[in-house]
Amino acid sequence: MPRPHRKFIDILEKSMVVADTMDREDLMFTYKGIPYPTTLCSYEVFKAMESFEARSDDMILAGFPKSGTNWFGHILLELITTFEKKTEVEPTIYGEEFDEFPYLEIGDTEKYQRMKKIPFRRVIRTHLMSQNLPKSVFTNKAKILLLLRNPKDLATSFFKFSKVMAPFPTYESWDEFFKDFMIGNIPWGSYFTYLSEWNKHADDGHVMPITFEEVKENPLLGVKKIAKFFELPLTEEELKKVAERSSFQAMKNNSKETHGVFGNVLFRKAV
Ligand code: A3P
């Protein structure tokens, strides 16, 4: 079982406290035309991110907020840890470095220098649109799993999440939220622009699109497809275990340990 992202929980907790003291209109700032949550992202970190050097064996998970990034991020960690144990590679993924907040664009300005020193295969999540990722992700052909979810379900999940996550602006009504969702006035911008920008890379050999729905319908097939894409040869039995340990129920049961107080918020309904 991959270790919990302690730093992930810490940063989220701090951002909740700070966001609680802020006025609603200050909760988002704009960078390159896209709104981001002020308590999680910053101009300085975006600038520092330009120094991020992608590697061809990086395992990148690109997904809009609420598309299932915690679920698929967990699948990637389960796959790599199973592979490392099997091949007797020192399971460095359990090391301190991996407590790093897992989203590329969130953290402190020094994190990209620390990431350079990570000696093992890196699992990196991002909510960013393709045009805003560091250029080396494409020039070095890092492998990208592009996660997509039905916009109606994603919007519902986002709306519910906004109600309980102080860093995201809250909405009194669905209609109010829906207007902002449609024009992209929500954290990380428009899901429709996100889709059309990423669509430009759908045929890149190092990008593999996958949908929330297909993996929900057939988790084992989804896990197999992901393992093949990242070139992690595992047995049927091992892949089955990864799928089981990544099920909604398994992750929800474990969520206090992995995500602290955010467990109930992140593992909501999954339908
Ligand atoms: P709902 O709010 O519709 O329940 P993210 O991790 O990007 O924030 O996405 C959260 C969504 O993924 C939530 O959707 C959550 O329930 C769902 N989810 C989380 N873990 C899951 C799993 N193991 N299987 C299926 N869905 C999962």
Side-chain angles (χ1 to χ4, degrees):
M1 178 84 204
R3 55 192 270 145
H5 293 290
R6 300 243 174 268
K7 214 166 170 186
F8 171 101
I9 301 167
D10 276 3
I11 296 181
L12 278 186
E13 278 176 358
K14 278 184 199 134
S15 77
M16 291 286 280
V17 174
V18 176
D20 261 339
T21 66
M22 291 170 69
D23 290 335
R24 192 180 190 282
E25 59 273 21
D26 296 329
L27 287 175
M28 289 199 290
F29 74 103
T30 302
Y31 182 72
K32 294 190 178 169
I34 295 172
Y36 297 100
T38 315
T39 57
L40 291 172
C41 300
S42 72
Y43 176 81
E44 291 75 22
V45 173
F46 278 122
K47 289 308 280 178
M49 193 175 68
E50 287 169 15
S51 72
F52 169 76
E53 197 56 36
R55 302 176 188 160
S56 58
D57 72 346
D58 278 340
M59 296 166 68
I60 299 187
L61 170 66
F64 200 77
K66 312 319 292 171
S67 61
T69 51
N70 282 283
W71 175 22
F72 282 71
H74 185 83
I75 294 176
L76 297 195
L77 286 182
E78 284 283 358
L79 285 172
I80 187 82
T81 45
T82 307
F83 180 73
E84 281 192 338
K85 270 189 202 150
K86 175 189 166 111
T87 50
E88 293 180 1
V89 169
E90 183 71 21
T92 37
I93 207 151
Y94 287 99
E96 278 294 301
E97 298 93 326
F98 234 80
D99 277 354
E100 187 66 67
F101 193 73
Y103 291 87
L104 184 66
E105 63 273 27
I106 301 175
D108 58 78
T109 52
E110 300 303 313
K111 73 178 270 189
Y112 306 103
Q113 296 310 314
R114 292 198 299 280
M115 285 180 85
K116 272 189 188 156
K117 295 188 190 133
I118 292 180
F120 48 89
R121 206 166 172 189
R122 303 177 302 185
V123 178
I124 301 162
R125 304 181 198 172
T126 180
H127 293 318
L128 293 176
M129 297 194 196
S130 52
Q131 77 277 26
N132 293 325
L133 277 173
K135 296 286 164 276
S136 67
V137 168
F138 295 97
T139 49
N140 297 347
K141 296 192 173 13
K143 290 214 161 185
I144 305 171
L145 183 68
L146 173 60
L147 174 60
L148 308 167
R149 188 178 187 189
N150 178 330
K152 289 190 277 185
D153 296 331
L154 185 141
T156 308
S157 185
F158 210 117
F159 174 60
K160 303 273 182 191
F161 192 66
S162 305
K163 281 184 180 290
V164 284
M165 274 303 281
F168 284 24
T170 300
Y171 293 87
E172 289 298 318
S173 70
W174 165 260
D175 287 354
E176 232 182 286
F177 167 77
F178 187 65
K179 257 189 242 155
D180 273 354
F181 181 77
M182 292 308 285
I183 60 168
N185 188 29
I186 56 169
W188 280 274
S190 158
Y191 185 46
F192 304 104
T193 310
Y194 181 93
L195 294 175
S196 67
E197 286 298 328
W198 270 108
N199 195 39
K200 295 175 185 163
H201 297 276
D203 295 328
D204 292 1
H206 62 112
V207 178
M208 183 176 80
I210 196 158
T211 65
F212 180 105
E213 293 74 20
E214 70 177 279
V215 183
K216 178 99 184 140
E217 192 174 319
N218 193 334
L220 181 58
L221 199 64
V223 165
K224 279 183 183 169
K225 196 170 156 185
I226 298 169
K228 187 162 180 238
F229 175 63
F230 287 112
E231 297 168 80
L232 297 168
L234 296 175
T235 64
E236 182 82 12
E237 211 38 50
E238 288 164 336
L239 292 164
K240 257 190 206 156
K241 285 209 176 105
V242 169
E244 278 162 24
R245 288 199 293 261
S246 310
S247 73
F248 180 70
Q249 211 45 56
M251 287 189 71
K252 196 174 172 66
N253 292 346
N254 222 11
S255 63
K256 220 174 162 52
E257 168 70 9
T258 55
H259 292 82
V261 292
F262 300 99
N264 278 342
V265 177
L266 284 165
F267 304 98
R268 196 182 62 88
K269 272 180 132 179
V271 287

